[in-house]
Amino acid sequence: MKRAFLIWVVGLFTLVPYALWYLLFEAERSHYPFLITFIFAWVTGYYSVVLPMIAAWRVRKFFRFIQSASSADEIRKKFATPENREAFIVSIARENGVPLFLARRIFARIERGLLKEKAEYGS
């Protein structure tokens, strides 16, 4: 997320001013639509493209973590202590930009799913 914001800021202070200067002083009339669209898209539309990609990457990373665990018991052990639970809940909230109460509900569903799996397979 920080990298995406840094890229946006760098573009905002380098690409957008150059595109605006080029639009005002050097561009031919046929280049106007592209330059105007670029400026507006960079300022307002960047995050509408980047944020869904970041969210998909985070979900994929989380599911890779779950798949890489050798067993559900291993995942349960990582979340067994209250400190680890709270750290995981805070990381869900911080990384996804959701309130803590929502992150707690997400964690409860994950935990419920793990317990259900344990009951079904008798592990």
Side-chain angles (χ1 to χ4, degrees):
M1 186 70 180
K2 290 179 184 178
R3 288 182 190 163
F5 180 72
L6 183 65
I7 290 170
W8 182 76
V9 168
V10 167
L12 187 65
F13 290 117
T14 57
L15 297 174
V16 171
Y18 178 71
L20 185 60
W21 176 84
Y22 188 76
L23 173 69
L24 295 175
F25 299 112
E26 296 288 326
E28 297 174 10
R29 190 174 203 118
S30 63
H31 295 175
Y32 287 2
F34 172 74
L35 291 169
I36 292 170
T37 303
F38 173 79
I39 292 169
F40 284 133
W42 192 267
V43 173
T44 61
Y46 180 77
Y47 277 103
S48 65
V49 173
V50 173
L51 285 181
M53 293 186 334
I54 291 172
W57 175 75
R58 286 181 179 161
V59 169
R60 186 173 180 198
K61 183 177 164 185
F62 176 73
F63 281 112
R64 271 199 205 149
F65 160 73
I66 289 179
Q67 287 176 346
S68 69
S70 60
S71 68
D73 289 331
E74 183 180 332
I75 296 171
R76 276 189 219 93
K77 286 176 188 175
K78 288 186 180 187
F79 303 133
T81 64
E83 295 85 23
N84 286 351
R85 269 190 184 146
E86 192 61 31
F88 186 68
I89 289 169
V90 169
S91 71
I92 289 174
R94 185 184 66 234
E95 289 182 8
N96 296 305
V98 296
L100 277 174
F101 78 91
L102 188 58
R104 284 188 181 95
R105 290 182 70 183
I106 292 168
F107 181 77
R109 286 189 180 212
I110 292 169
E111 198 171 36
R112 201 175 322 132
L114 290 174
L115 292 174
K116 186 178 181 182
E117 179 183 312
K118 183 177 183 180
E120 286 176 1
Y121 296 111
S123 300

